[in-house]
Amino acid sequence: MYKPNDLILRTTTSLIAFILLGFSIYLLLAGHNAPGGGFIGGLMTSAAIVLMYMAYGSAVLEKVLPINYRLLIPTGLLIAVGTGLASFIFGEAFLSHTYGYFHVPVFGELELATAMLFDFGVYFTVLGVTISIILSIANDH
Amino acid sequence: MNNLLAVTETILLFTTIISLIGISISLLLLLYRIITGPTNADRAVALDSIGMNLMGVAALMAILVVTTKFNDVILLIGILLFIGTIAVAKYLEKGVIIDRNMD
C-alpha cells in the first residue's frame, strides 16, 4: 500500500478556491445587470467547497468550516420569504420590491434594491442543497 | 476610412469562421479518442481537451455575436472543467472522490 502525495493538488486548491469564491461573489452581485445571480453564485461557492473537500478530505474540512449545511436551506428560505413578507409592513402586495440610492463610504453612490436580499436567500438555499446532496452521497459507507 | 473598417470586419469574420472550423475538426478527433480510447485515462484527458476547445468555441461565438456577456461563461467552463477532471482523476486513482481522513 503506497502513500499518495497530493502536494500539487493541495497547493493549487488553496490558490484556486479563493479565485472561485471571489468569482462566485461577483456572480451573485452582478446578477442585476449582467449574467449571474443567486443560483449560479451558489453553485460556484459549492464548487469551491467541493474542490476543498476533494483535496483535503472531509475530516479536515469539518474542522476548518464547521457549518451545518442543512441549516443553510431553511435560513435561505426564511430570508426569501422575509423579503416577501416585509412588503406587508409598507402596505404593498406580497413580494413587491423597491430600490433606493445610498451613499456607501468606499464605492460612492450606489443603487441598492431589495431584490438583492431575495437573491441572497436563493444563494444560501442553493449552497445548502448542493453541498448536502454531495456530502450525503459521499459519506455512505 | 469607412472602407478600411469594412475590410477589417471582413478579415475578422473570416478568421473567426476559419478558427471555428479548426476547432470543430479538433473536437471530432477528440470524440474519436473518447470512443476508442484504450484506457479510461485517455478518455479523461480527451474530455479535458474537449472542455478547453469549448472555451475557445464560446470565445469565438462571443466575437461572432458581438457581445461581452459570454466572458463569464468562458471562465465558468474552465472552472467546471478543472473540478470535473480532478474528480475523475481521484476516482481513477483511489476509488473514492471525497475520502474521510487523508492520514
Side-chain angles (χ1 to χ4, degrees):
Chain A
M1 187 63 194
Y2 73 102
K3 189 161 164 276
N5 189 357
D6 289 345
L7 180 64
I8 296 177
L9 175 62
R10 289 184 181 187
T11 313
T12 48
T13 295
S14 59
L15 289 174
I16 286 174
F18 274 105
I19 301 175
L20 281 184
L21 289 173
F23 183 57
S24 72
I25 297 297
Y26 161 72
L27 279 177
L28 172 63
L29 295 181
H32 199 69
N33 301 317
F39 186 77
I40 191 70
L43 280 186
M44 271 300 102
T45 310
S46 63
I49 293 174
V50 165
L51 181 64
M52 288 192 283
Y53 264 100
M54 284 194 295
Y56 289 99
S58 54
V60 177
L61 254 287
E62 276 161 14
K63 205 179 292 176
V64 174
L65 284 175
I67 303 171
N68 190 1
Y69 292 102
R70 287 174 186 84
L71 276 184
L72 283 181
I73 305 171
T75 308
L77 290 176
L78 274 182
I79 290 172
V81 172
T83 57
L85 290 181
S87 57
F88 286 140
I89 300 173
F90 303 99
E92 296 286 334
F94 183 60
L95 274 177
S96 51
H97 287 277
T98 182
Y99 62 96
Y101 295 94
F102 298 97
H103 191 77
V104 180
V106 179
F107 301 104
E109 193 91 357
L110 275 187
E111 177 189 346
L112 294 179
T114 52
M116 191 178 71
L117 296 175
F118 187 80
D119 237 5
F120 275 113
V122 176
Y123 175 82
F124 284 123
T125 311
V126 170
L127 180 62
V129 167
T130 318
I131 300 283
S132 301
I133 288 174
I134 290 174
L135 287 189
S136 52
I137 289 176
N139 277 340
D140 57 345
H141 293 292
Chain B
M1 192 61 201
N2 208 358
N3 195 15
L4 188 65
L5 204 64
V7 167
T8 316
E9 276 192 5
T10 316
I11 290 174
L12 185 64
L13 183 67
F14 274 100
T15 317
T16 313
I17 289 176
I18 289 171
S19 312
L20 270 177
I21 291 171
I23 288 185
S24 310
I25 295 170
S26 159
L27 281 174
L28 283 177
L29 294 175
L30 285 167
L31 193 63
Y32 171 74
R33 174 52 65 197
I34 282 183
I35 292 171
T36 71
T39 64
N40 279 331
D42 287 330
R43 296 189 175 93
V45 174
L47 267 178
D48 199 33
S49 311
I50 275 188
M52 288 177 209
N53 283 326
L54 281 183
M55 288 169 74
V57 168
L60 289 171
M61 288 306 287
I63 295 175
L64 274 185
V65 195
V66 187
T67 179
T68 58
K69 306 279 186 193
F70 282 172
N71 296 349
D72 290 343
V73 179
I74 297 169
L75 194 50
L76 207 64
I77 294 174
I79 289 166
L80 294 182
L81 193 66
F82 179 69
I83 292 172
T85 309
I86 282 182
V88 170
K90 278 206 73 170
Y91 180 71
L92 287 181
E93 170 146 350
K94 289 184 182 175
V96 290
I97 293 178
I98 298 176
D99 34 13
R100 183 66 207 159
N101 47 356
M102 313 179 70
D103 56 30

